[in-house]
């Protein structure tokens, strides 16, 4: 399955693969259709879009939008989403404890080890990169479901109550 995933680079606070923070809803829909062949499955005007593969029940991405700044958050499904990379790290569909250790080592090497925080749900996050490494149940196992945010949403990204990631995202477990 891992070899079938598209690989997208993560540029902290700027982009997740071809999705650049600040894109309009229409630009995101068009880009996801082109790159993943997925279309909107469920959306709420102005707030979020979950994308689905038309040939399966797979939902590779959920995107969230700010009221004024366009695309502000991208959550990548642990089982069906593209593989998002940060340098040599693969962030999607990984065993959370192993990824947490590798991510912490990466942050230390960058001199950012003090920027790591944990959410109220035990998910590692960092404002410095605008990412939370959430966990998602996939069958009988738990794998990583990273959530990436734009600069304007990065403050307290790891905080489920005071951060800007919508509460809906904090309640996705499978």
């Amino acid at each position: 399955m891992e070899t079938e995933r598209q690989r997208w680079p993560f540029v902290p606070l700027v982009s997740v693969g071809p999705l650049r923070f600040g894109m309009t809803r229409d630009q995101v829909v068009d880009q996801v259709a082109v790159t993943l062949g997925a279309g909107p499955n469920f959306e709420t005007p102005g707030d979020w879009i979950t994308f689905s593969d038309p040939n399966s029940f797979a939902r590779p991405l959920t995107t969230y939008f700010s009221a004024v700044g366009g695309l502000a958050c991208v959550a990548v499904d642990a089982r069906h989403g593209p593989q998002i990379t940060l340098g040599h790290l693969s962030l999607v569909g990984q065993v959370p404890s192993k990824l947490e250790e590798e991510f912490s080592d990466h942050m230390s090497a960058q001199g950012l080890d003090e920027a790591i925080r944990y959410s109220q749900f035990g998910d590692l996050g960092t404002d410095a990169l605008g990412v939370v490494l959430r966990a998602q149940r996939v069958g009988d196992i738990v794998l990583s479901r990273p959530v990436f945010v734009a600069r304007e949403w990065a403050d307290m990204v790891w905080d489920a109550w005071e951060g800007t990631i919508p509460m809906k995202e904090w309640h996705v477990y499978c």
Side-chain angles (χ1 to χ4, degrees):
M1 181 176 104
E2 190 61 32
T3 57
E4 297 171 11
R5 289 185 196 260
Q6 289 186 26
R7 295 184 66 80
W8 291 3
F10 168 52
V11 178
L13 309 170
V14 175
S15 64
V16 180
L19 303 179
R20 294 188 58 82
F21 293 119
M23 291 174 82
T24 66
R25 291 170 61 86
D26 289 342
Q27 288 172 323
V28 170
V29 168
D30 291 346
Q31 190 63 57
V32 172
V34 168
T35 58
L36 293 179
N41 173 278
F42 185 83
E43 57 184 295
T44 60
D47 293 327
W48 54 282
I49 303 173
T50 297
F51 291 89
S52 290
D53 182 324
N55 302 314
S56 69
F57 294 109
R59 294 183 176 169
L61 295 173
T62 300
T63 55
Y64 300 89
F65 297 83
S66 70
V68 294
L71 179 65
C73 180
V74 177
V76 182
D77 184 80
R79 179 182 293 195
H80 302 289
Q83 182 55 261
I84 310 302
T85 58
L86 176 63
H88 69 282
L89 294 177
S90 294
L91 303 177
V92 179
Q94 306 302 307
V95 174
S97 59
K98 183 174 183 264
L99 178 57
E100 182 177 319
E101 183 178 327
E102 292 172 352
F103 190 84
S104 294
D105 291 346
H106 173 82
M107 294 292 285
S108 290
Q110 305 298 313
L112 297 170
D113 49 332
E114 292 186 20
I116 294 174
R117 301 286 184 267
Y118 288 87
S119 76
Q120 292 87 339
F121 300 107
D123 301 308
L124 179 146
T126 176
D127 300 354
L129 302 184
V131 65
V132 178
L133 301 177
R134 298 214 44 251
Q136 175 184 337
R137 185 179 173 142
V138 177
D140 292 336
I141 61 174
V142 176
L143 298 174
S144 59
R145 174 192 175 85
V147 179
F148 307 94
V149 300
R151 185 173 311 281
E152 64 268 17
W153 279 26
D155 187 40
M156 296 176 51
V157 68
W158 48 270
D159 193 309
W161 283 274
E162 294 187 33
T164 51
I165 293 175
M167 190 54 69
K168 173 203 174 306
E169 179 56 38
W170 290 105
H171 292 286
V172 174
Y173 296 108
C174 344

